[in-house]
Amino acid sequence: MSEDEMVKTGKDGRGGRSENLFLGVEEASREAKAAMTAEDQEWWQHEVTARMIRLARYMAAGAPVDAPEVQAELDIHYASICRFWAPNAAAYKGLGQSYVDDHRFRRACDRIAGGLAVYQRDAMAVYADAWLR
């Protein structure tokens, strides 16, 4: 079964039903964003960019993804995501992978530093394993 077929049918490729990790995310995100003022949205976008720049600096300095300062950034990231949706460990890892797979996000990261999307994904996986269930 192809990945597209698995997504369409909800099957995990072994005949069972797969867990929809992002169930309700779009609706919750739309509602949270609609509740934000224009100033809130501008502030949030500034914070996301600043966080990505800080991660890029850690990456450039050779900090491993499990370094305390990197994980502190991920703690802030997770808290900001929870404003829209509270992912469990598997969903947070999936979100990190989507940052690599989604060409728009990856391009935004690459404008800051090449390889940043992969670095963030890997840091998110460490964070999820350490702090989420």
Side-chain angles (χ1 to χ4, degrees), residues 55-77:
L55 277 176
R57 287 182 181 144
Y58 293 134
M59 182 182 75
V65 295
D66 63 351
E69 61 272 21
V70 174
Q71 289 300 297
E73 283 298 327
L74 269 291
D75 194 45
I76 296 166
H77 177 261

Side-chain angles (χ1 to χ4, degrees), residues 3-4 17 24 32 51 58 67 89 95 97 100 119 121-122:
E3 187 173 326
D4 286 340
R17 304 284 297 165
R51 191 170 39 258
Y58 293 134
L95 179 63
Q97 185 61 48
V100 173
Y119 185 80
R121 177 208 55 205
D122 294 349

Side-chain angles (χ1 to χ4, degrees), residues 5-132:
E5 291 170 316
M6 284 187 260
V7 170
K8 287 178 188 171
T9 65
K11 300 280 184 171
D12 66 7
R14 298 180 306 264
R17 304 284 297 165
S18 62
E19 180 183 1
N20 183 348
L21 300 175
F22 301 101
L23 186 63
V25 172
E26 265 186 49
E27 183 178 333
S29 293
R30 273 194 303 272
E31 290 172 3
K33 189 171 182 183
M36 294 172 76
T37 66
E39 293 81 18
D40 289 340
Q41 289 181 30
E42 184 177 334
W43 175 86
W44 185 77
Q45 290 172 352
H46 172 76
E47 287 301 309
V48 168
T49 302
R51 191 170 39 258
M52 290 170 62
I53 290 168
R54 288 190 300 268
L55 277 176
R57 287 182 181 144
Y58 293 134
M59 182 182 75
V65 295
D66 63 351
E69 61 272 21
V70 174
Q71 289 300 297
E73 283 298 327
L74 269 291
D75 194 45
I76 296 166
H77 177 261
Y78 183 77
S80 74
I81 295 298
C82 286
R83 182 173 185 175
F84 302 98
W85 161 62
N88 63 21
Y92 193 61
K93 288 179 182 181
L95 179 63
Q97 185 61 48
S98 75
Y99 290 171
V100 173
D101 294 343
D102 185 311
H103 72 319
R104 297 164 297 181
F105 188 84
R106 190 173 188 140
R107 188 175 339 119
C109 286
D110 285 345
R111 284 195 307 236
I112 294 170
L116 182 57
V118 170
Y119 185 80
Q120 183 168 349
R121 177 208 55 205
D122 294 349
M124 289 172 72
V126 169
Y127 183 88
D129 287 342
W131 298 104
L132 305 177

